[in-house]
Amino acid sequence: MASTTMMLSNGQQMPVVGLGTWKSAPGQVKQAVLAALDCGYRHIDCAAAYSNEHEVGQAIAERVGPGKMLRREDIFVTSKLWNTKHDPDDVEAACKKTLTDLKLDYLDLYLMHWPMAFERGAELMPRRADGTIRYADTHYRDTWAAMEKLVDQGLVRAIGLSNFNARQIDDILNFGKHKPVVNQVECHPYLTQSQLLAHCHSRGLVLTAYSPLGSPDRPWASSCEPLLLDDSRVVAMADRYKKTPAQIIIRWQVQRGITCIPKSVTPSRIKQNIEVFDFKLSDEDMKQIESFNRNERLIIPTIEKDGQKVWRDASHPHFPFHDAY
């Protein structure tokens, strides 16, 4: 069953449910992408920082192209520019490396992964001895200007943002020649992002939810943290609709006008996660899920400082989460 799509501000159609590939281990991600394409997914979300794009590319090459199951224009592929490649001189090469790994001539969407620049170089996480990150002072506006050239060259169809707050989005909109079409952020029932969603919609951006199921496999989850998919209120609702808890949450996102990219490497779950177009949640149930909000970020790197867990990048001048939204 093919997924339905949402129109981006540049006229492109983006499938509302895609496959997320963050944390998909080598050896697993190729099979996950093949399973997704085989059961109707037409949207794959990637990033250079996930260090698995070459494997995603192998799967795409097996299913897409002349004489294969799909044409290139049938699928929507997103990737992201990593923080160490924000220097305007590095942007084109970073994009071309992603295209080589994915075995593609162009990307449908290329996002700036974070508004924060890290020190240039080959190291993904340029750290000091104490574990803190070495930053660079490149402004995200300068990085954006370099990304705009990728559109002009035909390397990418559209560009967008990830982990940007409302003020930073407006900064780009006021500055840029090409408008960002998407802001991809953490979003789930414990972090509903209602204000940011309203802001994005008022500015013509689509909001994409990463970790829409609360990322139960996030590496730093502690055993005492609640698991969204086990939340008794979600489980009860799933029983009522005869659906899985994941399907309830994904349907809630879709009905809010959000595109989402649940990650799984399990073929049965991959299939279930896109089977959300044959039912509708009542207004009452939509409001109930909205009420689970705790403004709780689960996907934000932390470090230990004086025995306390603190946000690792809070001192970066472009850290996005000091603002309310």
Side-chain angles (χ1 to χ4, degrees), residues 12 47 52 71 98 117 126 164 178 222 237 267 275:
Q12 273 177 294
N52 59 13
R71 298 166 305 168
T98 276
F164 274 60
H178 291 293
S222 70
M237 208 178 282
E275 291 173 342

Side-chain angles (χ1 to χ4, degrees), residues 252-273:
W252 169 74
Q253 298 280 25
V254 169
Q255 274 182 232
R256 300 170 81 208
I258 288 177
T259 58
C260 59
I261 45 169
K263 171 256 167 180
S264 179
V265 292
T266 312
S268 59
R269 287 207 196 109
I270 289 171
K271 186 170 183 292
Q272 285 170 350
N273 287 347

